[in-house]
Amino acid sequence: MKKYYQPEIETMPVEEIKKLQSERLVKQVQHVWDHVPYYRKKMEDAGVSPDDIKGIEDLHKLPFMTKDDLREAYPFGLLAVPKSECVRIHSTSGTTGKRVVAFYTQHDVDLWEDLCARALTAAGATEEDTVQVSYGYGLFTGGAGLHGGSHKIGAMTVPISSGNTERQLQFMVDLEASVLCCTPSYAAYLGEAIAERGLRDQIKLKAGIFGAEAWTNEMRTDIEQKLGLKAYDIYGLTECSGPGVAFECEAQDGMHINEDHFIAEIINPKTGEVLQDGEKGELVFTSITKEAFPLLRYRTKDLCILNRKPCPCGRTHVKMCKPLGRSDDMLIIRGVNVFPSQIETVLLNEGMTPNYQIIVDRVNNTDTFDINVEMSAEMFSDDLSKVTNKEKELVAALKTMLGIQAKVHLVSPKTIERSEGKAVRVIDKRKLYGV
Ligand code: DLL
């Protein structure tokens, strides 16, 4: 069985990684120029040709790609190989406009599964493990990606997909699953269901690979306690294969970006200027090994910081912090920028459950800002004054963090809908009126 910790790549000196990236970038630019008229036109409009790109130092000369380009070129306009060479598509769960469809050759699927295998390996998984893949299967990349990675490391793969919590728990216990892959919100839900059924002693999980949505370190602690495992973050997006673009190692302090396949940049989202490592901005990826659907300088809208400090695990690939929100998910409430992750941090630090929903509306030209938070069974009480006091404490803690006043409503246990995939944390009713 091939080993998926590849020290010759993952611990390569930074200068060598950059050299490899340069060689691959030059080839990739030529590939899209030759095969994708949409790209050629975009590059011509920007006054660049492949001759101008000699290495990563020239990357900034290339124009950015955005989701709008993908929608405009839908469905085949960015395909860089003949359709007959593609073996798979996946698609984003986008709620508005046309879906984004990404294509894969067999080579692309293989590489992507390698990336997921690296992530599983970094979380300690081997052929001895039973990996329960509870991400959704289908157009979403979560199920297929981790499934392929689990196969590659030779683990026993349980392709259970998301949902049907009773069956999840039964398999987890009966098959002695040792690694769980799902969204963090579903992991928290499974943890809750395990506690309710008194199954904690029968659960053998040692590691969890959780991603596809933002989650805080406070949420990590909550999940680790409930499931008795070590929780690792994994990041990716459909446009760049799917999960496995970056993953956490045992240090659990940022995700290593697979730099032999992706070049990461951080830019100022307003001006497009490239920022230094350590500065916060929008994450941009260039895929340098994908054949069917290569993207050059793709703007993810995820806000992030890159860091190249040496990692105790020995990997040299640059690390990205947990995404600090999306530039398009940031709420502006009464003129103040609010990220849902800030709210989650406050709620969990204040001993609340990770079950909450943020509701923003506009009444008489003023934004309203309500947060429904579920009480735990222990907190649930007939003593109304206790509830009111807790609500006041939460309002004060949120005010300190955000600088604005929210209305907090403690609601009964089990009244906020649980998520089996990506959780819907924010309901912004202002969007309905086009505010
Ligand atoms: O969510 C791929 C994935 C599947 C990643 C399973 C990890 C695990 P999309 O549906 O295209 O792909 O959504 C991509 O999800 O731009 C981020 O905003 C968000 N996202 C993904 N992973 C994380 C993470 C998959 N670990 C979008 N933390 C990205 C925070 C994440 N946000």
Side-chain angles (χ1 to χ4, degrees), residues 17-49:
I17 296 172
K18 294 196 165 163
K19 193 163 159 265
L20 181 70
Q21 288 184 324
S22 286
E23 285 162 16
R24 292 184 167 177
L25 174 68
V26 169
K27 274 197 202 145
Q28 190 69 297
V29 170
Q30 190 67 52
H31 175 57
V32 300
W33 175 269
D34 290 344
H35 299 105
V36 187
Y38 189 96
Y39 260 119
R40 184 187 279 240
K41 165 137 195 343
K42 219 172 145 105
M43 284 171 61
E44 278 168 352
D45 290 349
V48 229
S49 80

Side-chain angles (χ1 to χ4, degrees), residues 92-93 135 140-142 146 210-215 233-239 242-243 255 300 302 323 326 422:
T92 57
S93 47
Y135 284 110
F140 178 55
T141 52
L146 271 307
F210 306 131
E213 63 183 0
W215 56 308
D233 204 349
I234 183 165
Y235 170 89
L237 57 163
T238 314
E239 298 90 318
M255 293 176 268
T300 62
D302 290 319
R326 288 177 57 80
K422 300 194 191 217

Side-chain angles (χ1 to χ4, degrees), residues 41 50 56 66 87-88 104 124 154 179 188 192 211 240 272-273 276 280 291 319 364 374 388 404 409 414:
K41 165 137 195 343
I56 49 173
T66 66
V87 296
R88 175 97 66 85
Y104 304 70
V179 179
E192 191 180 39
C240 297
E273 176 207 353
Q276 298 297 310
K280 177 176 162 185
E291 290 177 344
K319 288 208 278 192
N364 296 333
E374 245 181 44
T388 319
I404 57 166
H409 313 274
K414 300 271 173 285

